[in-house]
Amino acid sequence: TTLCRSLHKGTSYFFKLAARNKVGYGEEIVKEITIPEEVPSGFPLNLHSESTTSTSVQVTWLPLVLADRNGIITRYTLHFKDMYAQLKPTELPVAATATAVTLNGLKPDTTYDVKMCAYTSKGPGPYSPTVQFRTLPADQAVFAKNFHVKA
């Protein structure tokens, strides 16, 4: 008996078995076994913001580690909201191949809460810890666009 450990969910494995004696190996038997998918057990990593303006921000992340995927990631969902508003968060579906998304139409000088989860065909995994980012003040963005230096 042999026990196979560390198999990944949502993955197919091929096992080959053949008897051996003094003469050599016998006929080989091949068996394919697929481990069923489950919801992800982890979340997107290193969620942070880049390229912030007064009304937009680019959010980037790293994919789940293989052991936490539990199958093929089919998409992500990003939730974001003004941290002081009592409104429900905006839910943004994101392609499974993406590692960045730009949020537009945001309010200037506002702090936003952002969290994210991944999906397999079985459903969503847990959300990442919430991170915060703040958009720039409206007047600072205008200043930056009209700034020139003369030598």
Side-chain angles (χ1 to χ4, degrees):
T1 301
T2 300
L3 180 63
C4 295
R5 298 177 191 266
S6 302
L7 299 178
H8 298 289
K9 295 175 178 124
T11 305
S12 293
Y13 294 91
F14 290 92
F15 294 91
K16 297 179 180 183
L17 179 66
R20 182 177 139 185
N21 62 23
K22 294 182 208 174
V23 180
Y25 288 95
E27 186 177 340
E28 185 176 79
I29 296 174
V30 178
K31 178 75 174 176
E32 179 182 8
I33 296 175
T34 300
I35 310 298
E37 280 193 344
E38 291 185 14
V39 299
S41 54
F43 44 79
L45 305 170
N46 298 333
L47 191 63
H48 67 282
S49 63
E50 298 178 353
S51 305
T52 303
T53 71
S54 62
T55 59
S56 69
V57 65
Q58 183 181 47
V59 179
T60 63
W61 63 91
L62 295 174
L64 287 70
V65 295
L66 184 60
D68 289 344
R69 294 178 191 173
N70 295 337
I72 297 169
I73 300 301
T74 58
R75 69 180 172 106
Y76 295 103
T77 295
L78 186 134
H79 278 203
F80 67 98
K81 75 176 206 71
D82 177 337
M83 74 177 284
Y84 297 110
Q86 297 301 315
L87 304 172
K88 284 185 164 184
T90 299
E91 186 174 294
L92 180 66
V94 181
T97 56
T99 56
V101 66
T102 300
L103 307 177
N104 294 302
L106 304 176
K107 294 186 282 187
D109 200 24
T110 303
T111 301
Y112 287 87
D113 288 335
V114 178
K115 62 183 179 177
M116 197 170 195
C117 72
Y119 285 72
T120 64
S121 65
K122 296 294 185 177
Y127 276 93
S128 65
T130 299
V131 296
Q132 295 177 337
F133 65 83
R134 186 171 190 87
T135 53
L136 298 175
D139 58 349
Q140 185 174 353
V142 171
F143 174 76
K145 288 181 183 175
N146 296 324
F147 183 74
H148 299 283
V149 176
K150 292 183 180 180

